Amino acid sequence: DQQVKQNSPSLSVQEGRISILNCDYTNSMFDYFLWYKKYPAEGPTFLISISSIKDKNEDGRFTVFLNKSAKHLSLHIVPSQPGDSAVYFCAASANSNSGYALNFGKGTSLLVTP
Amino acid sequence: SAVISQKPSRDICQRGTSLTIQCQVDSQVTMMFWYRQQPGQSLTLIATANQGSEATYESGFVIDKFPISRPNLTFSTLTVSNMSPEDSSIYLCSVEGQRDYNEQFFGPGTRLTVL
């Protein structure tokens, strides 16, 4: 049962434009959300996170927005750069017997073209 | 963030054999996690490993198939036992963040192919 969903398997954006990656979740117990970036043959790299008590968190070119009522979050990258081309995973966690175990979406492959 | 290494980085194994994957962290961490990413799928948590206690397994994963050791605060192993082609995956270890326990940092992964 996929509790975190990324419905767009791929996205192509021109360099300099905004990239918007979307993520939906079903479990209302999730209270922390993270975005990871993954290059081929590497492990996921932590990008940015947001607690459920906030609706926005910004770090440089990356901003994450959380809409709890819609159980939706998005990652905005602006301006997009060719080096941003990677697979982006959305993840969510809730404190449980497994600690802060992460539930991942299937990822969105972002291609930033020059 | 912690520096995490995994060995081996990749392996090709025969059906019915077992493979032990090592995860080494450059700092002491309380919780370590083992994930699997099957082809075309998301990362799925196998188990959580605390030092000095038995690992906690997620639904669908059992100790006999995926025994885990956690002998100290910087090291863990995951064994994939009696392998079948369905076990072909990327196996990743992660550790909790030291600044924020909600964050996790991942090793580079072990790409396993079972023939």
Side-chain angles (χ1 to χ4, degrees):
Chain A
D1 179 30
Q2 195 78 20
Q3 298 185 71
V4 178
K5 299 177 183 176
Q6 294 176 257
N7 292 319
S8 298
S10 63
L11 175 67
S12 183
V13 171
Q14 270 195 319
E15 181 178 7
R17 303 270 186 145
I18 184 171
S19 296
I20 300 176
L21 297 102
N22 293 303
C23 178
D24 298 290
Y25 61 96
T26 57
N27 188 342
S28 57
M29 297 301 292
F30 288 147
D31 57 7
Y32 204 83
F33 304 89
L34 308 91
W35 284 94
Y36 285 84
K37 174 180 176 180
K38 187 180 185 299
Y39 293 117
E42 294 183 12
T45 302
F46 171 74
L47 258 183
I48 191 169
S49 61
I50 188 167
S51 164
S52 60
I53 63 173
K54 296 185 176 181
D55 54 20
K56 176 182 175 181
N57 188 26
E58 190 172 352
D59 183 2
R61 296 187 297 114
F62 302 93
T63 303
V64 56
F65 296 92
L66 174 63
N67 182 335
K68 281 196 302 182
S69 61
K71 293 192 178 69
H72 177 85
L73 64 155
S74 60
L75 174 68
H76 292 210
I77 306 173
V78 55
S80 302
Q81 299 172 354
D84 296 328
S85 298
V87 178
Y88 289 79
F89 288 96
C90 170
S93 73
N95 195 6
S96 68
N97 291 335
S98 303
Y100 296 96
L102 297 178
N103 294 267
F104 282 86
K106 289 188 177 183
T108 297
S109 179
L110 173 65
L111 177 64
V112 181
T113 56
Chain B
S1 62
V3 176
I4 305 163
S5 60
Q6 284 185 235
K7 289 183 183 178
S9 58
R10 59 176 61 227
D11 206 342
I12 300 174
C13 300
Q14 296 296 320
R15 180 196 299 261
T17 62
S18 298
L19 176 72
T20 295
I21 302 168
Q22 299 179 5
C23 180
Q24 180 76 52
V25 189
D26 70 343
S27 57
Q28 294 184 339
V29 293
T30 302
M31 300 185 79
M32 297 178 76
F33 305 85
W34 286 98
Y35 289 82
R36 176 175 79 178
Q37 185 184 16
Q38 293 178 302
Q41 301 299 313
S42 58
L43 283 76
T44 302
L45 181 67
I46 297 171
T48 304
N50 284 350
Q51 192 268 335
S53 62
E54 286 199 9
T56 302
Y57 289 82
E58 295 300 300
S59 176
F61 298 97
V62 294
I63 187 171
D64 289 345
K65 175 67 176 177
F66 297 101
I68 288 171
S69 78
R70 183 78 204 276
N72 57 52
L73 291 173
T74 63
F75 187 77
S76 178
T77 66
L78 169 76
T79 299
V80 186
S81 304
N82 188 24
M83 288 184 284
S84 67
E86 292 71 36
D87 294 320
S88 297
S89 295
I90 300 173
Y91 291 85
L92 300 117
C93 68
S94 72
V95 303
E96 60 188 1
Q98 292 173 317
R99 180 178 64 98
D100 184 338
Y101 295 146
N102 287 287
E103 297 170 0
Q104 286 183 28
F105 299 91
F106 285 81
T110 296
R111 182 179 292 273
L112 171 63
T113 302
V114 184
L115 303 177

